[in-house]
Amino acid sequence: MSLHLVLIGPPGSGKGTQAVRLARRYSIPHISTGDILRQAVRDETPLGRQVAAIMASGALVGDDLISSLVEERLARRDAAQGFLLDGFPRTEAQAQVLDGLRRHLLVVHISASDDEIVRRLGSRRICKSCGLTQSVPENDLYSEDCPYCGGSLIRREDDEPETVRKRLTTYAALAGPLIALYSSRPGYIAVDGLEAPDKVTAAIFAALDARR
Ligand code: AMP
């Protein structure tokens, strides 16, 4: 049976890390709307030019734009046997669009406290060239090079403390209804993102394996 997986959690909850592991284990494409948009910004495509300022400010791009982007992505052949959505849906309107596209969603909700998120995002860096995300030691102000491609590691513009606060406020306002919707369904799985990443992974694998 194909696996229609959705990951929900605040920025910095470890969604990206878990998404990579889940996609590998279940051999499904990892579809991160944030990664797709950041790539478009790096490539300076028309989409990238349209969303660059919105993303830098920490605000969300429009529901219609992101929903049609996801619809197109899910129509690609590699998503026919399942997919993992990371960063979508983020609003009730997006959740409705997704309900219209695919049934039998399994929704993994990773929670984390604001304090921990602010701490984690302070040490998050992204490679300017390949877009890979990594963590540097706390208070490490100099940038090392990317261990994979040698590009420079920089802080994401939207990981600046002021912008993080804005993103958390947005998340808090929008995630409540989304979680209320999904938690009333049988495919809902809640995990504690404050645990060590390997423990979180094990909890998600166990819950998913039990439901398939
Ligand atoms: P992320 O990497 O998931 O934190 O996303 C980075 C940024 O991309 C967000 O702050 C938004 O500006 C934009 N974005 C990504 N996914 C969505 C979405 N589902 N709805 C609206 N904006 C999004």
Side-chain angles (χ1 to χ4, degrees):
M1 203 178 88
S2 51
L3 189 56
H4 300 161
L5 258 186
V6 173
L7 268 188
I8 293 183
S13 58
K15 274 196 319 279
T17 304
Q18 299 302 331
V20 170
R21 297 175 180 185
L22 285 161
R24 195 179 303 137
R25 176 172 168 111
Y26 297 106
S27 303
I28 48 177
H30 169 200
I31 302 174
S32 156
T33 44
D35 282 351
I36 294 172
L37 295 178
R38 275 185 292 278
Q39 182 71 50
V41 171
R42 272 198 299 278
D43 293 346
E44 297 180 16
T45 65
L47 170 68
R49 281 194 283 273
Q50 193 181 341
V51 300
I54 301 172
M55 291 179 73
S57 77
L60 295 184
V61 309
D63 283 334
D64 290 347
L65 185 150
I66 199 80
S67 298
S68 47
L69 189 142
V70 167
E71 183 171 3
E72 275 168 36
R73 182 63 189 85
L74 292 185
R76 276 169 47 186
R77 192 183 301 180
D78 67 341
Q81 295 309 315
F83 54 83
L84 166 61
L85 277 172
D86 165 8
F88 182 97
R90 264 179 156 93
T91 65
E92 282 182 285
Q94 294 177 16
Q96 270 171 19
V97 170
L98 183 59
D99 277 343
L101 294 174
R102 293 289 184 281
R103 296 164 61 111
H104 307 301
L105 302 173
L106 287 174
V107 177
V108 177
H109 170 208
I110 308 180
S111 54
S113 64
D114 284 7
D115 285 353
E116 176 64 9
I117 289 165
V118 170
R119 193 190 68 72
R120 287 186 190 173
L121 295 189
S123 59
R124 179 159 86 173
R125 300 290 182 273
I126 189 164
C127 173
K128 224 171 155 179
S129 311
C130 73
L132 199 90
T133 294
Q134 33 221 307
S135 184
V136 295
E138 240 169 306
N139 304 322
D140 180 358
L141 293 178
Y142 71 92
S143 8
E144 293 172 23
D145 291 335
C146 173
Y148 297 95
C149 78
S152 12
L153 293 185
I154 53 166
R155 177 177 268 175
R156 265 171 58 171
E157 211 171 343
D158 59 355
D159 279 349
E160 294 299 334
E162 195 57 33
T163 315
V164 166
R165 273 190 285 280
K166 180 167 174 191
R167 290 164 69 206
L168 286 176
T169 310
T170 306
Y171 178 82
L174 295 172
L178 211 58
I179 289 157
L181 171 76
Y182 287 129
S183 62
S184 67
R185 298 183 182 175
Y188 177 77
I189 294 161
V191 293
D192 180 3
L194 292 180
E195 297 280 6
D198 287 350
K199 242 179 136 176
V200 178
T201 308
I204 301 175
F205 285 176
L208 287 176
D209 290 348
R211 269 160 222 254
R212 296 189 75 213

